[in-house]
Amino acid sequence: MKGHALAPVPTLREMRRLLQLQEDEEGSLLAYLDKFHYPLWITQFYENIQRVTVDIVEEAYAHGVRLLELRYAPAIHTYAGLTPRQAIRSVLGG
């Protein structure tokens, strides 16, 4: 996020609070879904989508996962100018 001048909070600790469900948020679908808009800030860029894809696959592999189905909506990665085709190619490239 810093590489694209996107920093909604000044510290990693505060970012974790935004991204991880807190005790008072447990059981709230709205609180859960609200956590998704921060990662979407960085997945508006081709290279970042590739990197996130690689990170997800490597993390899963490290935990013994050998079959993985990633689901995403290419259209939500087009707000900064990517086309849906580019969003798809970035995942395939990763």
Side-chain angles (χ1 to χ4, degrees):
M1 292 179 77
K2 287 180 183 178
H4 292 281
L6 302 170
V9 293
T11 67
L12 182 57
R13 181 178 183 181
E14 290 177 79
M15 180 54 75
R16 282 194 178 115
R17 184 184 55 76
L18 292 175
L19 294 175
Q20 297 171 347
L21 278 178
Q22 305 303 303
E23 284 187 34
D24 63 328
E25 298 173 320
E26 290 180 12
S28 168
L29 178 60
L30 186 57
Y32 173 77
L33 294 175
D34 190 47
K35 305 295 181 182
F36 283 88
H37 75 273
Y38 296 107
L40 282 177
W41 289 9
I42 61 167
T43 57
Q44 298 303 312
F45 306 97
Y46 192 96
E47 297 80 15
N48 292 2
I49 297 171
Q50 279 186 315
R51 180 176 172 185
V52 168
T53 303
V54 169
D55 288 349
I56 290 169
V57 172
E58 287 178 350
E59 181 77 15
Y61 189 84
H63 290 294
V65 174
R66 298 300 179 261
L67 180 61
L68 178 67
E69 178 179 340
L70 295 178
R71 293 180 177 217
Y72 76 112
I76 65 173
H77 302 285
T78 60
Y79 302 124
L82 287 180
T83 65
R85 177 178 288 251
Q86 289 171 318
I88 292 167
R89 289 175 93 49
S90 64
V91 171
L92 295 175

